């Protein structure tokens, strides 16, 4: 069990950038990453990184625009989001200790969500 705290969300115009942070309360041995859920849509995995740092996952919608990185000593993962689009709007939730492959789905089997941080992209 790990406690997760997300931060960094906000409201931006299309084309803007945000950097999300997720701080874990303990050492994470598997993966850390992000899901998001927009109103009226299912939750989806966005990006994840294995704690070894050599493997990452990105949703097709995030590739080329989002970058996930990790600070091992602080048990913190970041999601740099550039060229934001209205379709990126949603509540972003951090997750930890999942296989990387879990982020290709909706995270239905995960139970240790952080509180989420809202990302709103609009004019």
């Amino acid at each position: 069990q790990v406690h997760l705290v997300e931060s960094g969300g906000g409201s931006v115009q299309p084309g803007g950038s945000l950097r999300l942070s997720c701080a874990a309360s303990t050492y994470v041995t598997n993966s850390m990453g992000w899901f998001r859920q927009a109103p009226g849509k299912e939750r989806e995995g966005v990006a994840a990184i294995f704690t070894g740092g050599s493997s990452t996952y990105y949703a097709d919608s995030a590739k080329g625009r989002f970058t996930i990185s990790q600070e091992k000593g602080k048990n913190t993962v970041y999601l740099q989001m550039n060229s934001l689009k209205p379709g990126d709007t949603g509540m972003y939730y951090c997750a930890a200790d999942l296989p990387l492959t879990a982020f290709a789905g909706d995270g239905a089997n995960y139970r240790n969500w952080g509180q989420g941080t809202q990302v709103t992209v609009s004019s």
Side-chain angles (χ1 to χ4, degrees), residues 46-47 56-67 82 85 88:
V46 178
T56 58
Y57 165 81
Y58 293 98
D60 289 342
S61 61
K63 291 179 180 177
R65 300 187 298 122
F66 294 3
T67 303
N82 298 325
K85 305 174 181 179
D88 297 318

Side-chain angles (χ1 to χ4, degrees), residues 4-30:
L4 304 168
V5 179
E6 302 99 330
S7 62
S11 297
V12 297
Q13 294 183 343
S17 298
L18 288 171
R19 189 176 77 156
L20 307 184
S21 299
C22 174
S25 62
T26 188
Y27 180 69
V28 176
T29 60
N30 197 349

Side-chain angles (χ1 to χ4, degrees), residues 10-108:
S11 297
V12 297
Q13 294 183 343
S17 298
L18 288 171
R19 189 176 77 156
L20 307 184
S21 299
C22 174
S25 62
T26 188
Y27 180 69
V28 176
T29 60
N30 197 349
S31 299
M32 295 184 69
W34 297 89
F35 292 83
R36 70 185 179 191
Q37 187 166 21
K41 299 186 67 176
E42 294 184 349
R43 185 173 53 235
E44 61 178 342
V46 178
I49 185 169
F50 187 70
T51 52
S54 61
S55 297
T56 58
Y57 165 81
Y58 293 98
D60 289 342
S61 61
K63 291 179 180 177
R65 300 187 298 122
F66 294 3
T67 303
I68 190 166
S69 60
Q70 182 183 16
E71 291 189 10
K72 294 181 293 184
K74 297 182 179 180
N75 295 325
T76 301
V77 67
Y78 303 97
L79 184 66
Q80 179 68 44
M81 305 188 296
N82 298 325
S83 301
L84 284 163
K85 305 174 181 179
D88 297 318
T89 293
M91 185 70 74
Y92 283 67
Y93 298 95
C94 185
D97 290 326
L98 275 68
L100 279 182
T101 53
F103 291 87
D106 63 2

